[in-house]
Amino acid sequence: MSNTGSSNKGQYQRPSSVVLFPQQVNKNRCAPISNHNDTDDVNTEVTDRVIEEAISTYSVHHNNVLNNHQKKLKPLNRSTILPTCYHIGGAHIQEDLTTVEGKNVTGKEMIFGMLQYIWPKNDMVIRKRVTLALGLLAAAKVLNVSVPFLLKYAIDELNENLGSSGDALLTMGSAPETVLTVVSTLLISYGVCRAAAAGMNELRNAVFASVAQQSIRKISRNVFLHLHNLDLSFHLSRQTGALSKVIDRGSRGINFVLTAMVFNIVPTLFELTLVSTILGLKCGYEFAALSFGCVSIYTAYTLLVTQWRTKFRLYMNQAENEAGNKAMDSLINYETVKYFNNELYEANRYDKVLQKFETASLKTSSSLAVLNFGQNIIFSVTISAAMILAAKQIVEGNMTIGDLAMVNGLLFQLSMPLGFLGSVYREVRQALIDMQSMFSIMACDPSVKNLENAAQLAVTKENASIEFRNVCFGYQNGKPILNNLSFVVSPGQKMAIVGGSGSGKSTIIRLLFRFFEPTSGEILIGGKNIKDVDIDSLRKSMAVVPQDSVLFHDTIMYNLHYGDMSKSESEVIEAAKLAELHNSVTKLPNGYFTQVGERGLMISGGEKQRVSIARAILKDSPILIFDEATSSLDSITEQNILKALRRATKDKTSVCIAHRLSTIKDADEILILRNGQIVERGNHQMLMDNASEYSELWNIQQDTSEKK
Ligand SMILES: Nc1ncnc2c1ncn2[C@@H]1O[C@H](COP(=O)(O)OP(=O)(O)OP(=O)(O)O)[C@@H](O)[C@H]1O
Ligand SMILES: N[C@@H](CCC(=O)N[C@@H](CS)C(=O)NCC(=O)O)C(=O)O
């Protein structure tokens, strides 16, 4: 069994902040749907990090067989973890997340999934908020539409009461003071309505922000929990970094779609209907047709141009990622670059990608200019045409000058939310793709799951037996790993498993923990087939010291406490003493509150392994499993640990996987495994008495240690 624990040291550590592009700092906000707040990107990074770490700790714990190259986390480029519309100029374009694809999800399922969060069954507070936000939205739109009306009335009032010379003193109707009072009131109302509409929009944002944030939180939590409930095989076959991106983007996608719907698409449609109806009723059907026609042409033009220019953004994002990776790779290889005097070469290589970025970026901005200019022309032509029509009606005596101002105001206001249509379209499309990835993971079912009404496994020291009955297993069809394996470990006994690399030792542990199901045969614990019992209770009955001790990026105390969060600090320290860790920890600058660093890289391999042992001791389960528990220890520590292990395993059933035979000499039974089959079995003395493979191995190891 190879020890991959120490090799973690060579793994890539993501730099905390490498800002390679100044643009990445200049976040772009989509004004009409700006419910991100300034802390969003920081939070995203933190959430991303926490999720990635938790999942990677999970997969690394159980993923000893994957080689280090596969296990390396793909470095996250900063831009890929920024929320939507914080990316350079707006959307990110879908990267290849095929590694995390799950089941196919229909649009209906996605809408239903989304509604569960925005209109939750048992949360009246959220429902009230959504209703209030919609009410505010309708009120704001009505107020907005009334603004041009107030202007119209003010102009008409002035116009009707002024003399033809325009001299205010030569009023034709009411007294000048009265006219002024009426006009002032109308114009003050104009200002109040404008301000009130803006105020209601802000209030609506504030009311809905909490719904959106709560749904993001709930979704992220649910997906996270779901990921933990999925099979080990799911995690082994997927990239952890990509998984965390799926959660992040998917939940943000939902937020984006909701926000775009509630704040942009639906209100704009509402306003369009309102404006067209008013224009139709008040000014005639030509005006209604004009506004409808304008919006239709505008929409078609925007969608077409947006589709055409999306490829420039794709090139830009690709070049950005490439440049980020090149710079990162070059900086990681800092020493190598120096050894070979290749600084200029590296800079030129980097510059080539920057050139690509520059070209794509220029195309993006010039195509944006085309889009914006075209959109502007469509509205300008419409407004001009509408005013010419109005002027004609005024001349014919069917409309007033106030009506002309009203038509202008209504159409101008309509153009405002439509100014972001292209971005909203692009972002919503992207959000739907992101949501699809997330919902399809949510639709993945774990293949190992509890039977309905599965019984709790109640294992005590007295009945803590383990039995493998004719167990066969293979990870892939046609490649058997365990071959008709049978053995029994009685309560309180210590069994050892010895065998070459790849002989299937760790697989036995994975089957015991029910990370996989045997192809045939049965596994019994405490006399119960583990297939029939509750998985949680099964895993509670065993404590494991894994081959690869990966720690959480927290303090030693936190990592030890992880064995059993319900235990007190003094019990944690007691466990650390039993695992011969206490003395090493007290020598550290912050003692138990020393940070262990990402994946525990800041403490030694031996210390990490003792943390694992201590937390297994803390878990205090009737069955203890050691997968090469002493592999990272020097001989002196090993002796101490062995003492500790003997103490820990006293009265407990234990299974020890070991390469160093000295560590399992006292086992009640030793199994020698080859190609998933037991080739020799017996206790140390019995095996030594025969001319066994074990005795040969023992002698070789004794010779080696004597030579040392
Ligand atoms: N998830 C997996 N998918 C496919 N094959 C796997 C998987 N995990 C392990 N294997 C293969 O199964 C075989 C047994 O693996 P296992 O980890 O049980 O060996 P081991 O005896 O513990 O080896 P080592 O001493 O090197 O840890 C190996 O050939 C390994 O490549
Ligand atoms: N009027 C255009 C552009 C709107 C706009 O300015 N969008 C912001 C993002 S919310 C932006 O920076 N876009 C850059 C781009 O589209 O390249 C449209 O309808 O899409």
Side-chain angles (χ1 to χ4, degrees):
M1 225 176 309
S2 60
N3 170 35
T4 50
S6 53
S7 57
N8 283 337
K9 281 187 176 161
Q11 286 191 355
Y12 168 71
Q13 274 181 287
R14 182 151 43 95
S16 52
S17 63
V18 180
V19 179
L20 295 165
F21 289 95
Q23 293 93 321
Q24 288 174 352
V25 183
N26 294 328
K27 299 154 205 153
N28 260 305
R29 277 183 179 211
C30 259
I33 35 178
S34 60
N35 77 327
H36 300 304
N37 57 47
D38 286 337
T39 53
D40 262 8
D41 57 337
V42 181
N43 287 341
T44 316
E45 200 166 357
V46 172
T47 323
D48 189 86
R49 215 177 160 295
V50 168
I51 293 171
E52 192 182 317
E53 190 184 320
I55 303 170
S56 71
T57 305
Y58 173 87
S59 61
V60 170
H61 261 309
H62 306 290
N63 186 9
N64 305 329
V65 286
L66 285 186
N67 62 38
N68 272 329
H69 176 70
Q70 275 174 297
K71 275 200 269 178
K72 267 182 199 172
L73 291 181
K74 202 176 154 205
L76 281 186
N77 184 310
R78 188 170 161 69
S79 77
T80 62
I81 55 172
L82 290 178
T84 351
C85 221
Y86 270 110
H87 296 271
I88 305 172
H92 65 270
I93 307 293
Q94 178 75 358
E95 278 172 50
D96 185 19
L97 292 180
T98 44
T99 43
V100 288
E101 262 171 23
K103 284 188 180 172
N104 265 346
V105 182
T106 62
K108 206 169 118 195
E109 282 168 332
M110 288 209 302
I111 292 173
F112 183 72
M114 238 163 55
L115 279 179
Q116 280 185 321
Y117 293 99
I118 193 177
W119 198 250
K121 264 193 199 133
N122 303 321
D123 197 336
M124 285 318 283
V125 180
I126 296 261
R127 283 187 174 198
K128 274 186 194 151
R129 273 184 179 270
V130 174
T131 316
L132 183 61
L134 290 175
L136 285 166
L137 165 86
K141 282 294 168 203
V142 170
L143 278 175
N144 222 17
V145 169
S146 67
V147 169
F149 273 86
L150 292 165
L151 186 64
K152 162 196 151 59
Y153 292 131
I155 293 173
D156 285 346
E157 182 70 19
L158 283 172
N159 201 38
E160 277 166 26
N161 293 296
L162 282 181
S164 52
S165 68
D167 188 339
L169 292 173
L170 295 173
T171 51
M172 295 172 72
S174 324
E177 296 77 24
T178 322
V179 177
L180 196 64
T181 314
V182 173
V183 171
S184 303
T185 312
L186 283 168
L187 292 177
I188 288 170
S189 310
Y190 170 94
V192 170
C193 279
R194 265 185 72 103
M200 286 199 181
N201 277 338
E202 292 308 321
L203 207 60
R204 175 204 64 185
N205 285 357
V207 169
F208 196 77
S210 146
V211 178
Q213 290 305 326
Q214 279 195 44
S215 50
I216 288 195
R217 201 190 79 216
K218 283 188 204 156
I219 294 162
S220 304
R221 185 187 178 280
N222 288 353
V223 182
F224 183 70
L225 194 64
H226 181 73
L227 283 174
H228 266 299
N229 288 334
L230 285 176
D231 296 333
L232 176 61
S233 48
F234 174 91
H235 287 274
L236 295 184
S237 60
R238 276 145 182 104
Q239 251 185 0
T240 315
L243 275 181
S244 77
K245 274 191 224 169
V246 169
I247 305 182
D248 188 38
R249 287 181 183 176
S251 50
R252 263 156 219 287
I254 291 192
N255 183 32
F256 192 87
V257 172
L258 286 181
T259 321
M261 284 291 190
V262 176
F263 298 148
N264 192 273
I265 300 167
V266 174
T268 308
L269 282 175
F270 180 62
E271 189 168 349
L272 173 66
T273 320
L274 211 61
V275 167
S276 302
T277 316
I278 290 168
L279 285 176
L281 291 177
K282 278 217 61 100
C283 312
Y285 73 93
E286 314 93 296
F287 288 87
L290 201 65
S291 73
F292 232 95
C294 162
V295 174
S296 307
I297 295 173
Y298 183 98
T299 307
Y301 169 79
T302 304
L303 302 194
L304 278 175
V305 177
T306 302
Q307 260 169 13
W308 161 69
R309 58 188 297 269
T310 297
K311 62 175 175 292
F312 303 132
R313 302 187 57 83
L314 178 66
Y315 298 149
M316 195 172 89
N317 284 7
Q318 278 171 349
E320 183 206 0
N321 283 344
E322 206 183 318
N325 290 341
K326 282 244 150 60
M328 206 90 88
D329 191 36
S330 180
L331 293 174
I332 287 168
N333 284 299
Y334 173 85
E335 283 177 65
T336 318
V337 175
K338 300 264 151 203
Y339 292 147
F340 297 98
N341 309 72
N342 274 342
E343 292 89 340
L344 261 183
Y345 170 77
E346 288 292 319
N348 289 339
R349 236 161 67 100
Y350 181 50
D351 191 50
K352 262 197 198 127
V353 195
L354 287 182
Q355 269 171 22
K356 272 201 231 168
F357 177 79
E358 187 184 306
T359 315
S361 187
L362 285 175
K363 280 193 182 151
T364 304
S365 37
S366 43
S367 62
L368 178 64
V370 171
L371 175 63
N372 282 341
F373 188 55
Q375 288 176 326
N376 221 302
I377 286 181
I378 295 171
F379 254 103
S380 302
V381 167
T382 309
I383 294 178
S384 283
M387 286 198 299
I388 292 171
L389 260 179
K392 199 171 144 249
Q393 299 282 348
I394 294 171
V395 172
E396 286 169 6
N398 300 329
M399 278 171 82
T400 62
I401 297 185
D403 284 330
L404 187 137
M406 183 191 75
V407 168
N408 177 295
L410 284 174
L411 289 175
F412 184 75
Q413 272 180 196
L414 190 59
S415 72
M416 305 292 263
L418 287 170
F420 293 90
L421 185 68
S423 300
V424 170
Y425 166 69
R426 192 182 55 224
E427 297 275 348
V428 165
R429 235 174 46 158
Q430 181 61 50
L432 289 174
I433 296 171
D434 292 343
M435 278 165 60
Q436 176 100 30
S437 305
M438 192 180 79
F439 278 110
S440 55
I441 286 187
M442 286 301 268
C444 276
D445 249 354
S447 56
V448 179
K449 48 185 173 192
N450 275 336
L451 289 180
E452 236 174 88
N453 303 323
Q456 296 287 315
L457 180 67
V459 184
T460 58
K461 281 179 189 169
E462 288 69 39
N463 71 348
S465 61
I466 303 173
E467 185 176 355
F468 270 54
R469 273 190 204 157
N470 307 322
V471 171
C472 294
F473 175 74
Y475 292 98
Q476 290 137 9
N477 279 345
K479 197 179 168 236
I481 302 293
L482 298 182
N483 224 330
N484 221 18
L485 196 69
S486 296
F487 62 81
V488 180
V489 193
S490 307
Q493 271 200 342
K494 174 175 175 175
M495 193 194 72
I497 308 176
V498 179
S501 183
S503 56
K505 303 178 297 291
S506 301
T507 304
I508 295 178
I509 299 181
R510 291 195 193 120
L511 290 180
L512 268 174
F513 270 81
R514 252 191 106 191
F515 289 144
F516 299 94
E517 308 273 30
T519 331
S520 64
E522 287 171 358
I523 302 172
L524 295 96
I525 289 188
K528 297 263 169 10
N529 190 333
I530 62 170
K531 227 172 70 188
D532 304 328
V533 301
D534 173 73
I535 299 179
D536 209 41
S537 66
L538 165 76
R539 292 180 186 160
K540 271 198 182 118
S541 70
M542 293 176 280
V544 67
V545 180
Q547 183 180 24
D548 200 2
S549 304
V550 184
L551 303 186
F552 291 99
H553 187 2
D554 211 302
T555 60
I556 295 187
M557 178 54 86
Y558 175 84
N559 274 289
L560 288 170
H561 222 153
Y562 208 79
D564 187 347
M565 293 296 196
S566 65
K567 298 269 167 77
S568 68
E569 250 176 44
S570 57
E571 285 172 294
V572 174
I573 294 173
E574 201 44 48
K577 281 183 183 162
L578 274 172
E580 302 282 330
L581 180 70
H582 183 73
N583 287 344
S584 317
V585 173
T586 46
K587 281 185 202 131
L588 294 169
N590 293 318
Y592 279 93
F593 296 94
T594 305
Q595 290 283 339
V596 301
E598 207 166 342
R599 293 158 164 254
L601 289 178
M602 270 146 72
I603 62 172
S604 74
E607 281 161 345
K608 266 198 289 181
Q609 209 147 26
R610 277 175 282 164
V611 171
S612 290
I613 294 173
R615 63 183 175 197
I617 293 174
L618 194 69
K619 191 173 174 189
D620 195 23
S621 304
I623 298 173
L624 270 173
I625 294 169
F626 299 96
D627 191 353
E628 280 254 59
T630 53
S631 61
S632 296
L633 311 175
D634 56 52
S635 309
I636 298 172
T637 325
E638 183 182 313
Q639 286 315 312
N640 290 334
I641 289 280
L642 286 177
K643 253 193 279 162
L645 286 187
R646 255 169 240 136
R647 255 180 274 155
T649 52
K650 192 165 178 291
D651 300 332
K652 292 197 173 176
T653 312
S654 59
V655 177
C656 295
I657 291 177
H659 266 167
R660 284 193 228 174
L661 302 184
S662 57
T663 59
I664 45 126
K665 195 178 155 204
D666 61 335
D668 297 294
E669 187 171 30
I670 300 167
L671 306 183
I672 316 288
L673 214 63
R674 198 191 306 139
N675 297 332
Q677 271 177 318
I678 299 169
V679 286
E680 285 172 17
R681 64 198 310 164
N683 63 25
H684 174 76
Q685 209 46 57
M686 280 159 67
L687 291 167
M688 288 304 285
D689 289 346
N690 299 323
S692 62
E693 197 174 302
Y694 177 87
S695 60
E696 249 174 65
L697 207 62
W698 174 269
N699 292 332
I700 294 171
Q701 287 191 0
Q702 289 306 105
D703 282 356
T704 323
S705 59
E706 269 163 28
K707 274 179 200 149
K708 275 184 192 166

